[in-house]
Amino acid sequence: MERLGLVDLGSGTARLVVYAYEPGRWFRLVDEIREPVRLGEGLASGHLTPEAQARAQKALRLFADFARATGLETVEVMATSALRDAKNGPSLLQALEGIGLPIRVLSGEEEARLGALAVANSFPWEEAWVVDLGGGSVQISRLEGRRFVQGRAYPLGAVRLKERFLLGDPPRKREVVALEAHVLEVLREPLKALAQRPAPLVAMGGTVRNLAEMVQKRKGYPLNLLHGYWLAREDLEGIVEEILSLPLSARRELEGLQPDRADILPAGALVYRTLLRAAGYQGLWVSGQGLREGRFYQHFLPPPHLLEDVRRFSVENLFAQYPQEPGHTARVRNLARTLFRALGPLHGYGPEEERLLDEAALLHDIGMSLGYYDHHKHGAYLVAASPLPGMDHRTQALLALLVRYHRKGKPQPGPYRSLFLRGDAKRLERLAALLRLAEYLDRSRVGRVKGVEVRLEGGRVELWLRAPEEPWAEMVEAGKQAGLFQKAFGLELEVRWTP
């Protein structure tokens, strides 16, 4: 296992993240320190303020001390538009380098490229537009074939725009109009490209995450996940109107908003509102990954630093963090696959459902890492607690529920009902029935059942278990699921043995 520390010294926030990983196989975030340095303070005038420089030095001293104390040998600092654009940036860079952490000042294109790489490895699309709005600049990039093809930085960061345009509290209407006109002028060419070459629009950075979290709180969103969230333009417009009407003291109290972003959030929100209106987009996708993750992938994967299958890796990466008995897991996967295919005439599902069932079979016992009792509930929590890049929130909710009901209970949507599409409740019920049968056909966990033959006999389904000796425990336990099976498929179930 290797460890890597990455610091994003942004114009608004400085953040150290620490990854533990085995190159190309698995990784996880193991620590994080966030400091609201507001380094971009003064960018509108071209010079960083002494106070901002002092905060940046304090933050890097904190990160350097943490690295020494924890034995973190590899730490990289990436500096962005504040150090790149400020006239007194070189003198601050010299002072920061004396702290002992290697610092790399990224060009606008490098910053855009790393953000695009993060999207390529955390969303399922071949093509996309990527918008990364920070305190000092906004990067707009284009992905084609999952590769960065163009991108650059524009001086439209939230800190910079707030200092230049939004001086009132709350912002005055003429200030808002002037800011939006400036955004339209600076982004004239990329806005034209966005409209002419439509593709999924992915946004990253603290501003869009805060906006999305505020919307989720108001809507009672059932998953505590931001990555992969669809932020509709209508919802964004409503939040923007609300924050523009409130003074800073009231904005700091808004649910879902980090208080240290309350002063700059209106400026950043206006950039997104202007962009969506001008390009004619009905919303955007929120990314929980960004610059730091893009750089991490360059360490984690060989060139071109792309995961072969984003969703598959996400599921396997979760399993790697909570490994279980490999033999039992493999047998449950095989049995579930056999049952799914043999019962195809009854359920009519296709590759997407088969993939979901297989993922649930892989993850069904990860809750055992926390303890046997209620391990189905522990596993469901682990599946739903963190983003599974490449998988939409509806599918992740279904996956968590399949793990939840893999051993007992009546499968039901519960708090995730609002994410379900038509037919999903029955889909959950049927796939849970198959997964539960697969689990109990290996009840003794020693692989006594060597195969299953499925026979459709009139109004019932017969499962003939191939085993050298009668697998009584498996037959009894699987037979107990006849009620769930009949409710899911409308047919009786019988479990029998054949040598």
Side-chain angles (χ1 to χ4, degrees):
M1 184 179 69
E2 299 183 28
R3 290 198 306 156
L4 171 66
L6 295 171
V7 176
D8 175 5
L9 182 58
S11 301
T13 302
R15 193 185 305 259
L16 165 68
V17 296
V18 181
Y19 286 101
Y21 67 102
E22 186 176 343
R25 297 194 62 187
W26 65 271
F27 71 85
R28 63 185 174 126
L29 179 69
V30 295
D31 218 328
E32 177 183 73
I33 303 179
R34 177 183 182 273
E35 283 290 296
V37 297
R38 196 60 62 84
L39 179 57
E41 186 177 85
L43 265 182
S45 66
H47 289 80
L48 306 178
T49 66
E51 295 79 9
Q53 296 181 61
R55 289 192 295 268
Q57 293 181 62
K58 179 182 177 182
L60 283 199
R61 284 198 297 269
L62 166 63
F63 298 155
D65 181 70
F66 176 85
R68 284 191 297 269
T70 60
L72 184 60
E73 296 181 355
T74 305
V75 182
E76 295 182 7
V77 180
M78 296 170 289
T80 55
S81 61
L83 279 173
R84 186 169 64 229
D85 297 341
K87 295 178 181 177
N88 55 347
S91 61
L92 173 58
L93 179 61
Q94 186 175 8
L96 293 176
E97 288 176 336
I99 295 173
L101 295 179
I103 301 175
R104 176 183 171 196
V105 180
L106 302 178
S107 68
E109 181 176 325
E110 287 175 318
E111 196 174 350
R113 186 181 294 273
L114 290 174
L117 181 59
V119 169
N121 281 321
S122 59
F123 285 90
W125 304 307
E126 291 289 318
E127 296 188 13
W129 288 101
V130 183
V131 179
D132 184 359
L133 175 65
S137 64
V138 60
Q139 286 69 241
I140 300 181
S141 314
R142 173 80 179 183
L143 277 178
E144 293 181 4
R146 297 184 64 213
R147 285 169 169 77
F148 175 86
V149 292
Q150 66 182 69
R152 55 166 291 197
Y154 301 86
L156 296 174
V159 175
R160 193 191 303 245
L161 291 175
K162 187 268 178 188
E163 289 183 350
R164 179 173 175 182
F165 292 98
L166 304 186
L167 305 180
D169 185 27
R172 302 177 182 88
K173 185 174 181 179
R174 65 175 180 273
E175 296 173 346
V176 172
V177 171
L179 186 153
E180 291 180 317
H182 178 66
V183 171
L184 288 172
E185 175 63 26
V186 174
L187 297 183
R188 182 185 303 150
E189 290 304 316
L191 285 173
K192 185 188 302 182
L194 277 161
Q196 293 176 347
R197 302 165 63 194
L201 177 62
V202 182
M204 57 183 58
T207 292
V208 76
R209 290 196 300 270
N210 265 217
L211 292 169
E213 187 169 358
M214 292 170 71
V215 170
Q216 287 184 346
K217 297 293 186 184
R218 283 154 179 75
K219 296 170 79 75
Y221 196 68
L223 281 172
N224 187 29
L225 299 175
L226 290 173
H227 183 86
Y229 180 69
W230 170 253
L231 179 57
R233 178 171 147 188
E234 178 183 3
D235 292 329
L236 175 66
E237 297 263 6
I239 288 292
V240 172
E241 289 300 324
E242 179 180 358
I243 62 177
L244 288 176
S245 69
L246 298 174
L248 176 60
S249 58
R251 290 201 301 274
R252 287 199 174 107
E253 302 301 319
L254 290 174
E255 189 177 18
L257 173 59
Q258 288 178 316
D260 59 74
R261 291 189 185 275
D263 60 335
I264 62 172
L265 188 70
L270 285 170
V271 173
Y272 282 116
R273 186 176 78 171
T274 304
L275 187 151
L276 290 178
R277 285 178 173 180
Y281 281 58
Q282 295 307 306
L284 53 82
W285 297 93
V286 178
S287 173
Q289 299 194 16
L291 172 70
R292 295 180 300 275
E293 289 76 13
R295 179 58 180 145
F296 170 75
Y297 288 123
Q298 291 183 332
H299 283 269
F300 182 65
L301 298 166
H305 314 299
L306 292 174
L307 296 168
E308 182 179 343
D309 184 317
V310 173
R311 174 170 164 177
R312 184 180 68 199
F313 174 82
S314 298
V315 173
E316 292 177 350
N317 190 50
L318 178 61
F319 177 78
Q321 297 176 48
Y322 306 96
Q324 291 304 310
E325 187 181 336
H328 172 68
T329 298
R331 289 189 294 272
V332 171
R333 293 178 77 181
N334 185 59
L335 288 164
R337 187 181 305 115
T338 298
L339 293 172
F340 179 90
R341 293 177 180 177
L343 294 172
L346 296 183
H347 56 65
Y349 296 144
E352 180 57 31
E353 286 84 2
E354 183 173 359
R355 181 177 193 177
L356 178 60
L357 178 61
D358 183 65
E359 292 166 339
L362 175 66
L363 299 175
H364 77 280
D365 267 350
I366 62 172
M368 292 277 280
S369 298
L370 304 182
Y372 174 78
Y373 290 111
D374 285 340
H375 71 266
H376 54 299
K377 296 179 182 179
H378 301 326
Y381 167 78
L382 293 174
V383 171
S386 300
L388 289 177
M391 184 180 293
D392 62 50
H393 287 187
R394 164 191 164 267
T395 306
Q396 188 166 347
L398 280 167
L399 180 59
L401 289 169
L402 286 172
V403 172
R404 166 67 176 81
Y405 293 111
H406 84 269
R407 60 190 293 258
K408 63 180 180 178
K410 177 185 177 181
Q412 50 192 344
Y416 303 131
R417 184 174 295 276
S418 63
L419 299 177
F420 273 30
L421 301 177
R422 184 178 180 180
D424 277 349
K426 178 59 70 174
R427 186 173 284 105
L428 168 65
E429 189 176 67
R430 288 176 170 173
L431 295 182
L434 299 180
L435 179 59
R436 196 178 298 180
L437 279 174
E439 165 78 346
Y440 286 119
L441 289 176
D442 193 45
R443 184 63 184 88
S444 60
R445 293 177 175 254
V446 294
R448 293 200 296 176
V449 174
K450 305 304 181 183
V452 179
E453 180 185 348
V454 180
R455 300 177 188 174
L456 305 179
E457 299 288 346
R460 70 179 187 276
V461 172
E462 296 179 357
L463 298 185
W464 287 85
L465 311 186
R466 296 199 310 274
E469 60 183 29
E470 187 177 27
W472 184 248
E474 284 76 10
M475 292 175 65
V476 171
E477 293 289 87
K480 291 177 182 178
Q481 311 312 316
L484 173 60
F485 186 88
Q486 185 164 29
K487 188 173 185 301
F489 292 96
L491 296 174
E492 295 180 2
L493 176 71
E494 293 185 9
V495 183
R496 301 185 177 185
W497 166 58
T498 179

